[in-house]
Amino acid sequence: MQLIINGKPEDLDGVRTIEDLVRTRGLKTSLVAVEQNGSIVPRSEFATRELSDGDKLEIVHFVGGG
């Protein structure tokens, strides 16, 4: 499946949901915000929101600092 992630095309296999995608990137679901095709996805839907070939995703990872 090909996805556009943060403006860059990526070919991914074995990724079915947004949660799968976030975890394969080594991120914690509690520390990211995801937009799918222009709509923000609530964290409560990460495990059930299916990905489709050609989806455009923006993933923002929150980091702490001082």
Side-chain angles (χ1 to χ4, degrees):
M1 165 177 4
Q2 186 173 64
L3 302 171
I4 308 297
I5 302 173
N6 295 343
K8 297 178 183 172
E10 292 191 33
D11 290 314
L12 298 168
D13 292 321
V15 175
R16 190 177 60 82
T17 65
I18 289 178
E19 183 174 282
D20 293 341
L21 175 64
V22 169
R23 290 181 190 264
T24 61
R25 296 177 84 78
L27 302 172
K28 293 183 179 186
T29 57
S30 61
L31 297 176
V32 297
V34 179
E35 182 181 278
Q36 182 183 30
N37 300 321
S39 297
I40 294 176
V41 180
R43 265 189 212 99
S44 62
E45 294 181 19
F46 281 10
T48 58
R49 184 68 71 95
E50 302 251 342
L51 297 169
S52 298
D53 192 50
D55 275 354
K56 294 179 181 176
L57 300 139
E58 293 292 326
I59 301 173
V60 178
H61 181 237
F62 302 106
V63 292

